[in-house]
Amino acid sequence: MEIDAWVWWLIGAVGLGIPLVVTAMPEFGMFSVGAVAAAVVAALGGGVVAQVLVFVVVSVALIAVVRPIAARQRAATAGHASGIDALKGKQALVLERVDRSGGGRIKLAGEIWSARAYDVDQAFEPGQQVDVVEIDGATAVVM
């Protein structure tokens, strides 16, 4: 009993899908889609050359299109700060005098924070706007 070429392409597609799941490398998924496209060509009666060309063209096209989109998405996601890192660079309102000793209070992102001045010579009075330079434990360092 002879197995049709399209069945071999589908077996190849499944075989390429396994490393996709195991390694989470999307390139294997793109090769798998190329194999499915080649299976369609084989089922429609296309020759071996046409099958291989469709496999290569679809796989390469997917890699050329999807990888740059995924890289841009990954870069955009990596740029988003969260937690205390998201507070750096934000402006805050001084509620109690802030100086280097660290006894002051600010309103930052809707919450009251203890604060100290970044510079020894700086002091900020209530009502002033300050910039958060860093977060040191539960204290905002401002300037």
Side-chain angles (χ1 to χ4, degrees):
M1 178 165 125
E2 188 176 316
I3 297 178
D4 292 333
W6 66 270
V7 174
W8 284 113
W9 281 110
L10 288 181
I11 292 170
V14 171
L16 288 166
I18 292 170
L20 166 68
V21 174
V22 173
T23 64
M25 290 180 61
E27 291 83 1
F28 285 110
M30 295 172 213
F31 288 132
S32 183
V33 171
V36 170
V40 170
V41 170
L44 294 175
V48 174
V49 173
Q51 295 169 32
V52 172
L53 279 175
V54 166
F55 170 74
V56 170
V57 168
V58 170
S59 298
V60 170
L62 283 172
I63 289 172
V65 171
V66 174
R67 285 188 75 197
I69 293 170
R72 279 194 304 269
Q73 182 68 27
R74 192 172 336 135
T77 304
H80 292 293
S82 62
I84 60 171
D85 291 331
L87 298 175
K88 294 176 185 176
K90 297 280 186 183
Q91 283 199 332
L93 177 67
V94 176
L95 300 176
E96 296 175 11
R97 179 183 165 88
V98 174
D99 54 26
R100 186 67 180 168
S101 68
R105 300 266 183 260
I106 60 170
K107 186 167 191 174
L108 171 62
E111 297 178 348
I112 309 298
W113 282 75
S114 60
R116 73 170 187 268
Y118 180 74
D119 252 344
V120 177
D121 300 333
Q122 286 183 318
F124 303 99
E125 299 301 328
Q128 282 186 284
Q129 291 286 330
V130 292
D131 294 317
V132 177
V133 177
E134 65 183 55
I135 303 294
D136 182 18
T139 302
V141 181
V142 299
M143 62 183 301

